[in-house]
Every structure is written in structure tokens, then in C-alpha cells.
Amino acid sequence: MEIQHADFIGSFTTNSQCPQDRKPEYAFIGRSNVGKSSLLNMLTGRKDLARVSKSPGKTQHLNFYLLNRVWYLVDLPGYGYAKISKTKRKEWSKMIDRYLSLRKSLCSAFILLDLSIDPQKIDLEFIERLGQMQVPFAIIYTKVDKIKTGQRKKHLQKYEDALLANWSSMPPYFITSSTSREGKKELLAFIEEVNQQYLNYIQS
Ligand code: GTP
Ligand code: MG
């Protein structure tokens, strides 16, 4: 799948504000600074569709993008950003939990994990949370350009060990870099396939 159209639809804070047209939907979740907005720009081939910043915490709402006029990609605010108040953090976490657990057209969440660093406790906790909420998810490893090719296996193994301590099998995963565009084709092919399954399902 090539992305021909990418339209910003809006920034929302509650589920009732979100589009209600039941198009297949995917969400990018991950720690602040993991590369969610960059990946969205990379997938769409647009430099500044989503705001990327050196200072974390830029994305504060559920930002909806409509791709190829068929499916939504939602760029969620990152978790684990230290410099925000406790109250604000609670608000964010409530907003994200509500969105993830109640959004019926969410085909898959994508949890973004920075492959260039060790598995982080907060990420593993968030993955647990996805499991508890029974949200279908896949993993997107980001920033793979920052590690040497020979080190990849070692980094992947660390994540796999951490995940398999709590899960019986690995979810689907993708290895990506917004800089080198690695993983773009594979990720879009996965989305295309799930879109098809979803569309068949709601039409049946
Ligand atoms: P929040 O909106 O704060 O949650 O952050 P985010 O997850 O959207 O991260 P963002 O895309 O803004 O990227 C954060 C920083 O990481 C920026 O400085 C990006 O340039 C950098 N970055 C993102 N993806 C990659 C990548 O694949 N490779 C490298 N080398 N840097 C990246
Ligand atoms: Mg962002």
C-alpha cells in the first residue's frame, strides 16, 4: 500500500468527539520521544504532518489522521514524560485508557519501543495494561538506525526475553527507522491486510 492521501482530521480528548464512521483505526502509543510522530510522517512521506520536537510532550490529544480516505491513524500523547504534573498525567492516562478500551473500530494498537535502548519498565507495564484491557496490539521497534546491524539480534533478544517473562508468545512486530525508512513497506502491508479483514467483518 502506498499512502496517496493523508489528512489531519482533528485533535480530540473524548471518545464522543472522535469520528463515528467506523473506519478501521490504528493507534500509535509509546513513551514520549519514542518516535510516534516521526513514524507517522515517515509512513505518509510528509515531513511535517505530525509535529516532531526535540522537547518531549508535544502531542497532548488524540490526533486523528485519515489515510487514503480509508483508515485512521491516531497519534496518542506519549506516556512517561517526567515534566508534567501528576494531575495532568492522570488525566492523560484516563483519556488513553478510555480511548483504548472503548474504541470499537480500533483494529490494532501499535506500541512503539525504542530498539536502541534497553527495555524500559514503564513500557513493559503499559504492555501489561494493554493485555488487561484486551486491546489487540503489535509492536513497532523504532530508531533501528541508531544501532549497528550486528547488534540488532542482541537488542531484539532483550525485548523478547522481557516480554516472554509475562506472555506466552510474541505479538506481531516491525523493525523501523524514520530516518532510513526501514520497515515502512512491511508495516503498511500489515495494515492493509487487517483493513481488509475488518472491512469484510463489518460487511458480513
Ligand atoms: P511525543 O509527541 O512527545 O510523545 O514524542 P514522539 O513519540 O511523537 O516522538 P517524535 O516523533 O517527536 O521524536 C522524538 C525525537 O526522536 C525527535 O528528535 C526525532 O527526530 C527523533 N527520532 C524519531 N524517530 C527516529 C528514528 O527512527 N531515528 C532517529 N535516529 N531518530 C528518531
Ligand atoms: Mg508526538
Side-chain angles (χ1 to χ4, degrees), residues 84-125:
I84 60 160
S85 69
K86 259 199 180 146
T87 325
K88 192 108 196 154
R89 201 175 310 165
K90 261 201 181 144
E91 254 172 49
W92 284 15
S93 129
K94 251 196 203 159
M95 176 177 82
I96 292 178
D97 277 10
R98 232 181 266 137
Y99 165 78
L100 289 172
S101 54
L102 296 175
R103 188 74 176 155
K104 288 207 175 75
S105 50
L106 182 67
C107 292
S108 176
F110 288 110
I111 168 109
L112 277 71
L113 301 171
D114 185 342
L115 194 62
S116 70
I117 59 172
D118 279 347
Q120 306 286 302
K121 190 162 165 259
I122 193 166
D123 291 328
L124 299 171
E125 283 169 358

Side-chain angles (χ1 to χ4, degrees), residues 119-172:
Q120 306 286 302
K121 190 162 165 259
I122 193 166
D123 291 328
L124 299 171
E125 283 169 358
F126 196 82
I127 293 175
E128 275 308 297
R129 185 95 200 89
L130 287 174
Q132 283 162 3
M133 292 191 287
Q134 299 190 311
V135 176
F137 71 94
I139 289 174
I140 299 179
Y141 293 113
T142 64
K143 306 193 186 184
V144 66
D145 59 283
K146 287 175 83 175
I147 50 174
K148 293 197 182 89
T149 316
Q151 294 288 311
R152 266 187 199 205
K153 249 195 168 155
K154 205 177 96 195
H155 285 246
L156 282 168
Q157 192 61 51
K158 276 192 186 169
Y159 275 93
E160 210 168 302
D161 289 347
L163 287 163
L164 292 181
N166 284 317
W167 295 78
S168 54
S169 62
M170 282 293 284

Side-chain angles (χ1 to χ4, degrees), residues 32-38 53 57-59 78 143 145 177-179:
S32 203
N33 220 42
V34 72
K36 298 177 291 299
S37 300
S38 302
S53 171
K58 270 285 165 231
T59 313
K143 306 193 186 184
D145 59 283
S177 161
S178 299
T179 317

